Amino acid sequence: MKNRAITITLVAIVLMFFVGYFGIKEMALKDMNLNEKIDRVENYAKKGEWEQAHLVAKEVQKDWKKYDLLININYAESEHSLFDESVESLVAGSEAKDLPTILTNAKTAKGFWKNLNKIVPGP
């Protein structure tokens, strides 16, 4: 009987951890609107408004760094690194006024962000 009680307790603790983690993550990331900000960087770059594109790209980078650890708990290092690289390239592309870099990395970053927000990320 003791083994069963221990098993049930451990399962309950693990379940509480997962519910707590995903609940906190959902609340924290709910208002971040990272995809919307990446779209704004892309639109400003297409219009040639490089100052605005750079400011919004820095916002994306700041938001990403703020919640970096929270997101990294559940995801593989490679996806985390690739998303980080895409965000860095958005900032660099807006600074260099390089439209192809921004368009490529905006699409890549949005794809990674969508996958990072899934409970079970895809490959």
Side-chain angles (χ1 to χ4, degrees):
M1 191 65 177
K2 287 184 182 185
N3 287 340
R4 185 174 181 172
I6 291 171
T7 301
I8 291 172
T9 303
L10 290 174
V11 167
I13 289 170
V14 169
L15 186 61
M16 285 177 23
F17 172 76
F18 280 114
V19 169
Y21 168 74
F22 288 110
I24 290 169
K25 182 180 164 213
E26 182 65 29
M27 285 188 302
L29 301 180
K30 186 177 182 179
D31 297 328
M32 198 157 79
N33 300 324
L34 207 61
N35 267 343
E36 179 186 310
K37 289 178 183 178
I38 292 170
D39 284 338
R40 285 179 33 214
V41 172
E42 198 173 2
N43 290 332
Y44 284 135
K46 285 178 182 175
K47 293 176 187 175
E49 297 175 7
W50 296 106
E51 295 271 332
Q52 289 294 94
H54 187 65
L55 288 173
V56 177
K58 292 294 275 183
E59 262 184 61
V60 169
Q61 184 181 39
K62 181 182 172 190
D63 287 348
W64 166 244
K65 295 295 181 193
K66 185 176 180 181
Y67 295 108
D68 183 9
L69 180 62
L70 179 65
I71 294 167
N72 199 24
I73 291 172
N74 191 40
Y75 298 96
E77 178 63 31
S78 63
E79 265 198 10
H80 177 270
S81 296
L82 290 170
F83 183 76
D84 193 42
E85 186 179 313
S86 295
V87 170
E88 297 293 333
S89 294
L90 273 178
V91 173
S94 66
E95 193 172 341
K97 301 178 181 176
D98 185 5
L99 184 59
T101 297
I102 288 178
L103 296 178
T104 302
N105 285 291
K107 186 168 182 104
T108 304
K110 286 189 279 187
F112 279 126
W113 184 248
K114 184 178 179 181
N115 197 39
L116 286 171
N117 282 306
K118 293 180 180 176
I119 292 177
V120 179

